[in-house]
Amino acid sequence: REGLLPGRPQIPAGVEVTSRYLPVGASVVGGDWHDIVALPGGKAALIVGDVMGHGPEAAAAMVQLRTAAHTLADLGLPPGELLRRLDQMAAAMPGPPYATCICAVIDPPQNSCVVAKAGHPPPVLALPGGATRVLDLPAGLPLGLTGGPFQDSQAHLPPGATLALYTDGLVESRNRPPGDCLAALRDTLGTALAQPGGTLEVCCETVTQALRQRGEDDITLVLARIRQ
């Protein structure tokens, strides 16, 4: 599985990014992917996706979608247009995969980001001091259903604020309502980031380990913030 993940990304100097991927099992390949693409002007595109299912078929679809998403991001496309083209590609694949995706382009000089999603869980914004909020974005349909358009939404990233993108394995459990799992993510993320001297790396590890649901699904978490 590690060979299917992207190599070390080129992260612009003005952005701090860290990530964690936890597979569903030692011998099971899942459909989660994440990527970071450096863009002109110090911007960075963050992409997180999730192909439903496990095994070789999900892994093959994941690799194709991840590669296409990276190429489209590298062209400088807005997130909504990137998802539209990715949706068309997914629809043309054999046995179109059911996949969700979110793309965020962070602009450090403007302290902002543009985000669009295709049926994916919403991003969480953690503010300095521990307060968190869920970004209210148009849901969009999953990839492969040719259900666009996908709408771009702009969000302000205050100095020190952290943007969290993740897959549903982090906020879904057979034993807890979805709202409770999302609340647990917000609480754990806010608490971890508010710790004195807490780095994004430590926070990412703390959150994924605290919320992992063993044996249920892959987990991916990407944390990003603009350097102060």
Side-chain angles (χ1 to χ4, degrees):
R1 164 69 202 210
E2 293 302 319
L4 300 177
L5 295 176
R8 183 177 296 276
Q10 298 297 316
I11 301 173
V15 183
E16 184 181 359
V17 183
T18 191
S19 63
R20 283 289 184 280
Y21 168 74
L22 299 179
V24 66
S27 59
V28 181
V29 179
D32 281 16
W33 90 85
H34 63 279
D35 204 354
I36 304 159
V37 183
L39 300 173
K43 296 181 181 180
L46 276 60
I47 306 165
V48 174
D50 183 4
V51 177
M52 187 179 69
H54 306 96
E57 294 82 6
M62 177 272 291
V63 170
Q64 291 183 68
L65 292 175
R66 187 198 75 208
T67 302
H70 186 105
T71 301
L72 293 170
D74 205 35
L75 294 174
L77 296 179
E81 177 62 15
L82 181 150
L83 292 177
R84 186 186 72 81
R85 297 197 190 187
L86 205 60
D87 178 44
Q88 292 178 334
M89 177 192 165
M93 293 169 63
Y98 178 93
T100 68
C101 188
I102 186 167
C103 177
V105 174
I106 296 179
D107 186 346
Q110 298 298 320
N111 280 105
S112 67
C113 70
V114 177
V115 193
K117 67 190 186 81
H120 203 81
V124 172
L125 186 64
L127 303 174
T132 63
R133 65 185 179 92
V134 177
L135 297 187
D136 185 17
L137 307 178
L141 292 176
L143 301 176
L145 300 178
T146 59
F150 302 96
Q151 298 181 40
D152 288 327
S153 298
Q154 186 154 347
H156 177 58
L157 295 183
T162 299
L163 184 69
L165 307 180
Y166 53 93
T167 54
D168 59 7
L170 195 66
V171 291
E172 287 187 355
S173 170
R174 298 187 184 95
N175 304 316
R176 302 177 67 183
D180 288 357
C181 293
L182 183 56
L185 169 59
R186 293 177 61 183
D187 290 345
T188 307
L189 181 66
T191 300
L193 287 170
Q195 297 300 314
T199 65
L200 280 192
E201 189 79 15
V202 170
C203 176
C204 205
E205 179 71 17
T206 299
V207 173
T208 50
Q209 291 298 331
L211 300 182
R212 69 184 305 176
Q213 305 293 326
R214 297 185 184 278
E216 292 193 22
D217 199 0
D218 292 26
I219 286 177
T220 296
L221 175 63
V222 177
L223 300 179
R225 67 184 170 202
I226 296 171
R227 295 187 185 275
Q228 299 184 65

